[in-house]
Amino acid sequence: MRPSERMQQYRKPLVVGMVIFCCIIGGCLFPIVNCNPENPVETSLGMKTIILLSVFLFYTELGMLQSALFPKSSMGFVAVLNLALASLGLIFRYLLEFGEVSNTYNFTAPNVALHLFALTLLPLMTYAAQKYKS
């Protein structure tokens, strides 16, 4: 059995797993970069590097998975899917920290916008590269 046939055979469990992992990883990695100058938590350069590398690796792999799961889908569908997955991760993160002080300096408009933009664009670019490679 070819790998593309196997991916389609297990499509539903893979999509469910993709949604679950995107919610967990997207929530855990928020904020990618904290744009709030009043942030009392200072992360080291090493920790910032680990976060950025984790985002890059997970979300490029996500784009490759999406290109295998949705080979005939449009770019718009994949963009909306990635935006929804990133939003779900943010919602779960917000609910996890509901009532804590960290929500006041983490959930700012620049942090949320950067997070949604990056987590939508990175897998979308990987999807496009995989879909249209020659």
Side-chain angles (χ1 to χ4, degrees), residues 60-78:
T60 53
E61 290 294 324
L62 177 65
M64 289 183 208
L65 176 66
Q66 289 172 348
S67 69
L69 287 176
F70 310 113
K72 296 180 178 151
S73 296
S74 68
M75 295 287 285
F77 169 78
V78 175

Side-chain angles (χ1 to χ4, degrees), residues 28-103:
C28 290
L29 294 175
F30 178 77
I32 296 172
V33 176
N34 201 330
C35 303
N36 189 355
E38 298 172 9
N39 180 16
V41 178
E42 183 61 38
T43 51
S44 65
L45 181 62
M47 184 56 89
K48 288 178 185 176
T49 305
I50 290 171
I51 291 170
L52 291 173
L53 187 60
S54 299
V55 166
F56 180 78
L57 291 175
F58 180 78
Y59 284 95
T60 53
E61 290 294 324
L62 177 65
M64 289 183 208
L65 176 66
Q66 289 172 348
S67 69
L69 287 176
F70 310 113
K72 296 180 178 151
S73 296
S74 68
M75 295 287 285
F77 169 78
V78 175
V80 169
L81 175 67
N82 288 322
L83 183 62
L85 292 173
S87 299
L88 274 175
L90 280 178
I91 290 168
F92 288 131
R93 173 66 180 258
Y94 183 81
L95 292 175
L96 178 69
E97 295 185 356
F98 186 74
E100 293 186 16
V101 175
S102 61
N103 270 357

Side-chain angles (χ1 to χ4, degrees), residues 107-127:
F107 282 91
T108 61
N111 286 349
V112 171
L114 176 66
H115 192 77
L116 290 176
F117 179 74
L119 299 191
T120 300
L121 191 64
L122 189 57
L124 184 64
M125 290 179 2
T126 308
Y127 175 84

